[in-house]
Amino acid sequence: MSTNIRLKDGAVTYQHIDSPVGRLLLASGHDGLRLIEFEAPWHPVSMSEGWREGDDAVLAATRTQLAEYFAGTRKTFDLPLAPHGTPFQMQCWRTLALIGWGETWSYGQMARHMGQPSATRAVGAANGRNPLPIVLPCHRVIGADGSLTGFGGGLPTKQFLLTHEGVLGQPAPIADLFAV
């Protein structure tokens, strides 16, 4: 069972956008982009007081950069990021930013890079709580055997993103990935 994540520290502006991987919830605060959430997240955010639907410069830049990413013209993001998490989660999320377009790392590689080689499962758990998927590319983290493992947006979305980046070969139509 998943638990709701709460975003803290003041007003949050949010909006929904359509994307090739489904509807996304974007949220920003005074300090930057705080959330990109898939339609059926593992750990849904809990909207509370201080949330207002709207637009701001951070959300506009995020929409533009995500559109460029999905068009294949953007391989890195240049946004003010403001994820909130534990110190270990923040270290994991900073490490995610080092994994480039078209690359994959295993959870073990991430843990070793962080200087904590025995923390593979903790790295996986922290990645599962990544509030900024796609921008902080947790989809680029795979199993040690090369398998696609856990992803908050679902394995078809992970497969689509890795295919889009050229890791898994030729892109498949998004409708095919979600066919039942």
Side-chain angles (χ1 to χ4, degrees):
M1 175 185 282
S2 64
T3 57
N4 286 347
I5 297 171
R6 289 197 172 278
L7 296 184
K8 304 171 189 148
D9 302 323
V12 174
T13 303
Y14 74 93
Q15 61 184 225
H16 291 91
I17 65 167
D18 292 321
S19 82
V21 293
R23 200 158 162 79
L24 300 174
L25 169 64
L26 308 179
S28 67
H30 71 280
D31 48 356
L33 184 65
R34 295 201 183 175
L35 180 73
I36 298 173
E37 185 176 80
F38 296 104
E39 268 185 285
W42 285 358
H43 304 287
V45 70
S46 178
M47 291 187 195
S48 59
E49 258 184 71
W51 280 66
R52 67 174 182 79
E53 190 167 7
D55 200 6
D56 61 23
V58 171
L59 295 178
T62 303
R63 281 192 317 274
T64 297
Q65 291 187 30
L66 284 171
E68 293 167 349
Y69 168 81
F70 285 116
T73 60
R74 175 172 291 277
K75 295 187 173 65
T76 61
F77 292 89
D78 183 21
L79 298 164
L81 305 181
H84 291 242
T86 67
F88 182 79
Q89 288 172 329
M90 297 294 285
Q91 182 185 16
C92 285
W93 302 336
R94 281 190 299 275
T95 303
L96 287 172
L98 302 175
I99 308 171
W101 171 283
E103 295 178 35
T104 58
W105 287 15
S106 70
Y107 295 96
Q109 284 175 295
M110 262 190 84
R112 286 189 299 278
H113 182 85
M114 294 167 50
Q116 300 190 43
S118 63
T120 302
R121 287 184 184 212
V123 165
N127 285 355
R129 294 281 185 167
N130 175 13
L132 297 171
I134 303 172
V135 171
L136 294 177
C138 53
H139 63 278
R140 296 178 186 155
V141 182
I142 60 175
D145 63 358
S147 63
L148 301 187
T149 59
F151 183 63
L155 291 181
T157 299
K158 185 172 190 164
Q159 180 183 4
F160 173 83
L161 295 171
L162 290 173
T163 301
H164 172 67
E165 295 182 11
V167 173
L168 298 180
Q170 295 300 315
I174 188 77
D176 292 348
L177 295 174
F178 290 93
V180 184

